[in-house]
Amino acid sequence: MTASPALRLVVVLVIAMSFWSSDSIVSVFKNLIHGFASLRIPELIRFKTPTSSSITEARQRTGASVMTRLFEMVAKPLAKRFKNSTTTAQK
């Protein structure tokens, strides 16, 4: 099952909120829409800016499970495992 454009937008908005954490939800939303317009993504630029309460409701409907699943799919370890940590300690 593919995600609807609205669900994708909410997920992108949640991620963007971490980059613009000092801005309001509506400001972050407007920044995203401006970015989509500059990338010429027409399906996401032809609607009115929603209120902060409607954005919050959309986030709540999306739920934590969607973000958890995204994290599980994308997050990978950055460090490599040592084969034998005791070998280097004995030298």
Side-chain angles (χ1 to χ4, degrees), residues 79-91:
K80 294 182 180 180
R81 288 184 163 206
F82 291 110
K83 289 185 178 183
N84 187 352
S85 60
T86 58
T87 306
T88 56
Q90 293 175 352
K91 290 184 178 180

Side-chain angles (χ1 to χ4, degrees), residues 3-86:
S4 69
L7 176 62
R8 290 179 185 181
L9 182 60
V10 172
V11 170
V12 171
L13 178 62
V14 170
I15 294 168
M17 288 170 57
S18 66
F19 293 111
W20 293 298
S21 59
S22 62
D23 292 357
S24 70
I25 293 174
V26 173
S27 293
V28 174
F29 183 86
K30 287 179 179 180
N31 285 339
L32 284 177
I33 298 305
H34 178 71
F36 291 142
S38 68
L39 293 173
R40 301 183 198 278
I41 302 175
E43 66 190 37
L44 294 173
I45 60 173
R46 295 189 180 171
F47 51 85
K48 294 180 183 176
T49 302
T51 63
S52 62
S53 62
S54 62
I55 295 171
T56 300
E57 289 172 11
R59 287 176 51 213
Q60 291 171 345
R61 281 193 308 272
T62 301
S65 62
V66 172
M67 299 309 293
T68 300
R69 180 69 183 125
L70 177 63
F71 177 82
E72 290 169 349
M73 291 171 55
V74 174
K76 305 289 182 222
L78 294 176
K80 294 182 180 180
R81 288 184 163 206
F82 291 110
K83 289 185 178 183
N84 187 352
S85 60
T86 58

